[in-house]
Amino acid sequence: GKMTPEEVAYGFIKVANEAMCRPIRALTSARGHDIRQHVLACFGGAGGQHACAVARALGIRTILVHRYASVLSAYGLFLADVAEEAQEPAASSLETENHASLAGNLNRLRAEATKALREQGYATDQIFVQAFLNLRYQGTDCAVMTPLSAQPEVSDTPEVCVSDVPAFEQRFVEGYRREFGFELQGREIVVDDIRV
């Protein structure tokens, strides 16, 4: 039969609730955590509208509604750092003969992103950069965005050198082992994307 406007609206809410449940499941149940042992934190202007249904769908018994829940998203945006990202496909591998081009492309993206922030009025000592390669083992489809350094560095630090590129492999293997519980020794490492 024909749906009433209220039934249509409720259908939209159910779809929105399920869209919120999916990433929560991906971060918990899919990684072996018992989601029922967690507390659901509610935030955003409509957070309270969805919290009970989302918690029920996930099997969570406790919901935390902060007194400023409705403004936490806006407050987070206010506190967030300004970011300028540059990314492009690489279609390469981490083999030695590609190190120079990878370093060169990372430095080019770094210069573009830094320039964009300077044009917004940020001083060099306010700009921090971090280089990434999106890496995966040949024959797999699970890429890991791998940073060159653990923390961003001030933008006037030296550029990425050819000799820095092997560090990506070590960080990738460590990250892959942490994420998936094993490594594929002797398998070629593919560079899908470069990012700064």
Side-chain angles (χ1 to χ4, degrees), residues 88-92 133-136 140-143 190-194:
E88 65 183 35
S92 184
L133 295 179
N134 199 21
L135 303 172
R136 64 181 172 82
T140 68
D141 61 358
C142 296
V190 175
V191 184
D192 283 338
D193 307 282
I194 61 172

Side-chain angles (χ1 to χ4, degrees), residues 139-156:
T140 68
D141 61 358
C142 296
V144 177
M145 192 59 79
T146 306
L148 176 58
S149 56
Q151 297 295 321
E153 301 169 335
V154 178
S155 64
D156 63 356

Side-chain angles (χ1 to χ4, degrees), residues 31-111:
R31 293 185 178 187
H33 302 287
D34 184 358
I35 197 167
R36 296 168 300 174
Q37 302 300 316
H38 291 79
V39 173
L40 180 67
C42 161
F43 61 90
Q49 176 182 352
H50 299 280
C52 292
V54 169
R56 191 176 306 113
L58 295 171
I60 295 175
R61 300 178 54 87
T62 306
I63 301 169
L64 170 67
V65 182
H66 190 276
R67 67 196 285 178
Y68 298 119
S70 64
V71 297
L72 284 179
S73 293
Y75 186 64
L77 284 173
F78 173 73
L79 293 178
D81 292 331
V82 174
E84 182 72 33
E85 291 186 5
Q87 181 171 328
E88 65 183 35
S92 184
S93 72
L94 212 49
E95 299 299 313
T96 307
E97 64 266 15
N98 298 322
H99 288 187
S101 65
L102 289 169
N105 288 333
L106 284 166
N107 289 327
R108 180 178 45 76
L109 291 182
R110 173 185 168 140

Side-chain angles (χ1 to χ4, degrees), residues 176-194:
Y176 196 92
R177 190 179 317 117
R178 185 174 49 252
E179 182 77 20
F180 300 105
F182 65 93
E183 61 185 270
L184 299 172
Q185 293 180 346
R187 183 87 61 102
E188 181 182 43
I189 299 173
V190 175
V191 184
D192 283 338
D193 307 282
I194 61 172

